Amino acid sequence: MWLLRRKGPSGFSSSSTAEEVTDGIDGTGLTAIVTGASSGIGSETARVLALRGVHVIMGVRNLEAGRNVKETIVNENPSAKIDTMELDLSSMASVRKFASDYQSSGFPLNILINNAGIMATPFGLSKDNIEQQFATNHLGHFLLTDLLLENMKKTAVESEKEGRIVNVSSEAHRYTYPEGIQFDGINDESRYNKMQAYGQSKLSNILHANELTRRFKEGVNITANSLHPGIITTNLFRHFNYGNGLANTVGKLIFKNVQQGAATTCYLALHPQVKGVSGEYFMNSNLHKPTQHGQDVDLAKKLWDFTTNLIK
């Protein structure tokens, strides 16, 4: 379809792949963490970053699945630098252990890709008694970023290269609860709507990047942006009864493949076009405007304070 191939100002479109948007870019000497890298767009992001010479640390909940992805990548690209580390974003203890182990490894950190996520799950609480989607998609990544930020600042100074934080959000942020974030009812099962709760968590990803940008003091050479990867037929759809049938029926018309789905993430991680760009939302490797909630400075500040209290 011609609409899918229509290029934006960046020169890329929704049909551009992760390899295409990073073509000719040398990431040698850079180190990146990719969460949720054992499947879907996370594994493709890890593969393409490694292809460009980046040392990739895959943060995965299932170590066996992560090792299988690593083996596949290395078989295709023997020079790939890939490591796997256990990370369950729904558990603050797991996030803290990952960050501690990472710091002990001595690895620098240029790029943090907060990619892992769950979608439209039935109501449930995390190990820390927080609604599962909010805990996994937002809280875990907020804590991870907070724990690794000093490493990123140090790396940016020592390497003289811009650090980049990339939050994988979604256009589903448009379908959150009417007030944006249900601060007084995060754990209220009676008010829970699985799609609005997903939208709330994805709105939180945008607000997190925006508030990070606001808080970065002058001289901090790190950017933070968020993105919509597109609608991709991955296992995120496992909680939809109609998901697989819908994907098979109209997938070729409206869905992206995984190679296209990872494009905007890789674009924000590596492309020189976005050097110095921060606090923005992207779709199809081009700037895109989020909702009013997604641009609300006061809401971003309130979410930051709310989340900070939860991780204490």
Side-chain angles (χ1 to χ4, degrees):
M1 294 175 69
W2 71 271
L3 279 173
L4 296 179
R5 301 189 188 95
R6 190 175 180 181
K7 293 180 179 179
S10 69
F12 302 114
S13 71
S14 63
S15 63
S16 298
T17 66
E19 284 198 30
E20 288 170 349
V21 303
T22 57
D23 185 40
I25 296 175
D26 184 5
T28 304
L30 299 177
T31 304
I33 290 173
V34 181
T35 70
S38 62
S39 64
I41 62 173
S43 61
E44 177 66 2
T45 298
R47 183 188 75 82
V48 172
L49 292 186
L51 184 66
R52 301 305 176 218
V54 178
H55 177 195
V56 179
I57 291 83
M58 300 166 52
V60 296
R61 189 173 52 185
N62 184 325
L63 273 176
E64 183 180 358
R67 291 184 185 118
N68 289 339
V69 170
K70 174 183 174 179
E71 184 179 348
T72 300
I73 292 172
V74 172
N75 285 341
E76 176 192 295
N77 175 19
S79 65
K81 295 180 181 177
I82 302 270
D83 286 288
T84 55
M85 292 175 62
E86 188 172 8
L87 174 62
D88 180 356
L89 272 303
S90 70
S91 163
M92 285 194 271
S94 176
V95 173
R96 292 184 189 281
K97 183 178 187 306
F98 175 92
S100 176
D101 290 347
Y102 190 87
Q103 304 294 50
S104 297
S105 73
F107 291 145
L109 184 58
N110 303 93
I111 302 162
L112 174 59
I113 298 178
N114 292 320
N115 166 80
I118 57 176
M119 178 181 179
T121 54
F123 181 82
L125 298 178
S126 71
K127 293 171 184 175
D128 304 294
N129 291 314
I130 298 162
E131 189 276 309
Q132 193 78 18
Q133 294 193 80
F134 188 81
T136 305
N137 297 351
H138 168 63
L139 184 69
H141 283 127
F142 182 99
L143 177 59
L144 181 67
T145 303
D146 184 64
L147 294 172
L148 295 174
L149 200 51
E150 287 308 311
N151 185 325
M152 290 197 75
K153 290 177 181 178
K154 182 177 179 224
T155 302
V157 170
E158 293 179 351
S159 67
E160 297 184 344
K161 293 178 180 176
E162 179 180 86
R164 296 186 179 184
I165 298 168
V166 180
N167 284 358
V168 179
S169 178
S170 169
E171 280 289 90
H173 81 276
R174 300 182 186 279
Y175 308 107
T176 183
Y177 297 105
E179 63 270 47
I181 309 292
Q182 222 171 223
F183 292 108
D184 63 344
I186 290 288
N187 289 350
D188 189 342
E189 186 174 2
S190 69
R191 295 162 63 186
Y192 182 77
N193 175 288
K194 66 182 182 181
M195 271 311 300
Q196 287 179 308
Y198 179 66
Q200 172 178 253
S201 71
K202 296 289 97 180
L203 171 62
S204 298
N205 296 149
I206 296 173
L207 295 175
H208 176 217
N210 294 355
E211 183 64 7
L212 272 170
T213 297
R214 192 187 72 81
R215 287 172 178 262
F216 286 150
K217 294 178 181 177
E218 191 174 340
V220 176
N221 192 20
I222 301 173
T223 63
N225 292 292
S226 56
L227 68 104
H228 170 59
I231 306 174
I232 301 110
T233 51
T234 68
N235 60 8
L236 276 179
F237 281 94
R238 64 187 177 274
H239 293 289
F240 286 96
N241 293 330
Y242 59 83
N244 290 332
L246 177 66
N248 291 334
T249 304
V250 298
K252 289 184 179 179
L253 294 177
I254 65 171
F255 288 106
K256 289 185 178 185
N257 59 37
V258 169
Q259 292 77 19
Q260 294 165 336
T264 306
T265 303
C266 291
Y267 173 78
L268 289 177
L270 291 181
H271 208 286
Q273 284 182 354
V274 291
K275 180 176 172 58
V277 176
S278 194
E280 299 288 356
Y281 177 66
F282 287 77
M283 184 170 78
N284 301 329
S285 302
N286 283 277
L287 279 167
H288 195 66
K289 196 170 184 178
T291 61
Q292 287 301 115
H293 283 317
Q295 302 170 67
D296 190 326
V297 175
D298 291 334
L299 187 63
K301 290 177 184 175
K302 187 174 181 180
L303 176 64
W304 184 281
D305 293 340
F306 180 78
T307 310
T308 299
N309 285 331
L310 288 176
I311 65 173
K312 284 181 179 176

